[in-house]
Amino acid sequence: MEVNEKIAVEHGLKTEEYKKICELLKRVPNITELGIFSAMWNEHCSYKSSRLHLKKLPTKGKKVIQGPGENAGVIDIGDDDAIVFKIESHNHPSFIEPYQGAATGVGGIMRDVFTMGARPIANLNSIHFGSPQHKKTKNLLRGVVKGIGGYGNCIGVPTIGGQTYFDESYNGNILVNAMTLGLVKKDKIFYSKAAGLDKPVIYVGSKTGRDGIHGASMASAIFDDKIEEKKPTVQVGDPFTEKLLLEACLELMAGDSIISIQDMGAAGLTSSSIEMASKGKLGIEIDLNKVPCRETKMTPYEIMLSESQERMLIVLENGKEEVAKKIFDKWNLDFAVIGRTTNTNKIQLYFDKEKVADIPIDTLVENSPMYDRKWKKAKLPKKNKIDKDTFKNLNIITVLKKILSNPNICNKNWIWEQYDHTVMGDTIQKPGGDAGVVKVHGTNKAVAASVDSSATYCWSHPLTGGKQIVCESWRNLISVGAEPIAITNCLNFGNPENEENMGEFVECVQGLGEASKYLDFPVVSGNVSFYNQTKDKGIKPTPSIGGVGIIKDYQKMITMGFKKDENLVLVIGKTDGHIDQSIFARDFLNEKNGPPPEINLFNEKNNGETVLSLIKKDLVKTVHDISLGGIITAIAKMCIKGKKGIKLKKPKHLINQFEYFFGEDQSRYIVEVEKENLKKVEEILKKNSVHFDEIGEISNEDLAFDDKTKVSIDELYISNNNWLTNYMNK
């Protein structure tokens, strides 16, 4: 096929990008070369609209071993142990084919982790769907959950936490973000940088097929009415093969054979080979006839762009081929020497003894486009003037029960029950708490992780929303007794060529960076997903943050359920009664405008560190952060979890009770304190200038505002527990 501008545009390249390719090569590329450029220069692989802004994020810290730029980030957790982790999107494939899209998203992120030598120990996810009333939502949710559970359960890695969110902005483009944590010894971390000349390049894993061709390009495309035609671009996963690949790779990694290793993810053999060569500043030559294929008459173009799953590319030390082959033969996996490293600084491909591609590596990587796109700065919305008479017609118990049954507040047990969260035997805090927690096997340490997003706040004011979601992750880790160490992010946005969408991205990243820096909570890995829209309708800006923290003694871990009658309950942090953008405002005031709650980073850090010190000193029995739904929603969940009631009392500075109990002010926690420890706790809080309210006393009965205004724990449980199950079973 003769390449021209029209064909280049059909490959997702802009006219000016095609012209630049011709200039760099000093010739017209052939069809295989064009396919390679289209894969490497698309948004998903090149980060051409985001690189400029991502550089501003804080990526270093005392415990950071590896920041962005590798398959995953790595942090030091002491005793020569390290945690490898990352979150990544598989949005478009999951909308087209929910089961396989979600399943291969889980498989892909696990490969990113074990490629670095780590055994996966936990999975999490952040999934976003359209309105529950939308005709596609239920089936998409069912397919995605089955795909996540089907892959993770089969490979034997526990799913310890996650987030599920519904909003009409996702009607035409759902989000599926998958996160994996792995454990590795610090001296056994593997990297993707190729090194040495004339070293064998090895293909291992499954055979290459025609599934997933143009998958990376599709991830950088806008959906239209022909979405069903894109099903062939969705990869097909096999968790059982991935399990074999995991064990084979870890066995090979135990020796001294591997120079570098890279999983074949987006853009398959193209991206893996080019990234390895680029990092090592050398060339790679590949004989495509030697690539194991499961379909006949595959072309060089198809082989290079296939995104068939469960495949790895390895550069070995000379003379180690037979050692490696024996291992992969043992695990019944394909093994083939397909090429060598060279000093050409080129990717050179041969097929049927003819050279079918000859491309300088730097044209694909260093010379890939980087755009400083135009963007609009968002204005902070004015606060709404709320008619206080509205509150007179509301019953606080009725409001509470309805909020507990809100799709974004309700118990997600229908989802969690489909995930295996106890396999491997080290899970000590299951889904449903502030963060999932797994023990580091054979030690007293534990790793905590959470995934959070805040589309509503980011849509209202991206800068504030970006800060908020980092702080939310920080609070969730602290709430289980973990020291927050680092984060990974998956930044989901609409079309970056739209100035408003680009502005949302820029300001969210700015807010994210400011909060991360202030909290010493660096970004060590991540992913950007643009073009999340159908036609001209995009999603709300949705940065998903995966936070990781360490508990030095897992017996110090803390949970959110109330523990003991007569213990006192405190609200840590100042409540001003911020209603705008709250669940309460949207559900009961029909108000969707206004600013998100203000973020005070000093208070966030000070309050969080103080709560963590109280946990370490055994001065609090229960902790839960306050987020969506405000104080009373958090308290109700603590009552449900602990099967305990509470006698509430009015704080001295009570604003309006609805504003106080349902406002979504930030930097706050609910803690349970034994009466004999109250004085000690108060002294520490006052010493650290942390505001607190004594809000009530735990009882064995109801959640009671007073003698007449109360609700049983069973009623709260039903309100919180039944919505999703009933919705999915209709």
Side-chain angles (χ1 to χ4, degrees), residues 273-333:
S273 58
I274 290 165
E275 286 174 15
M276 292 172 87
S278 174
K279 290 173 182 176
K281 299 189 184 303
L282 43 73
I284 284 182
E285 92 176 19
I286 296 174
D287 183 348
L288 295 176
N289 291 105
K290 294 180 179 179
V291 173
C293 294
R294 66 170 181 264
E295 299 183 50
T296 59
K297 296 181 179 180
M298 288 190 70
T299 65
Y301 178 98
E302 292 172 326
I303 294 169
M304 289 301 293
L305 295 183
S306 167
E307 293 185 13
S308 296
Q309 298 291 285
E310 295 88 38
R311 302 179 300 158
M312 293 281 190
L313 199 63
I314 304 172
V315 177
L316 286 180
E317 293 285 1
N318 285 316
K320 298 292 185 178
E321 295 94 330
E322 281 304 310
V323 173
K325 187 176 186 305
K326 282 182 181 178
I327 291 172
F328 286 92
D329 285 349
K330 169 187 161 183
W331 291 99
N332 199 29
L333 295 165

Side-chain angles (χ1 to χ4, degrees), residues 106 109-110 119-125 148-149 151-162 179-182 243 246 416 418-431 436-439 447 449:
V106 173
I109 195 63
M110 280 199 281
R119 180 173 291 279
I121 59 172
N123 289 331
L124 300 94
N125 56 76
I148 292 171
Y151 207 101
N153 296 353
C154 288
I155 204 169
V157 177
T159 299
I160 65 168
M179 178 177 173
T180 293
L181 289 78
K243 174 65 173 174
L246 162 66
W416 302 329
Q418 297 183 58
Y419 303 153
D420 190 336
H421 39 259
T422 59
V423 64
M424 301 179 77
D426 287 320
T427 304
I428 55 174
Q429 190 152 174
K430 301 173 184 177
V437 185
V438 290
K439 289 189 295 183
V447 182

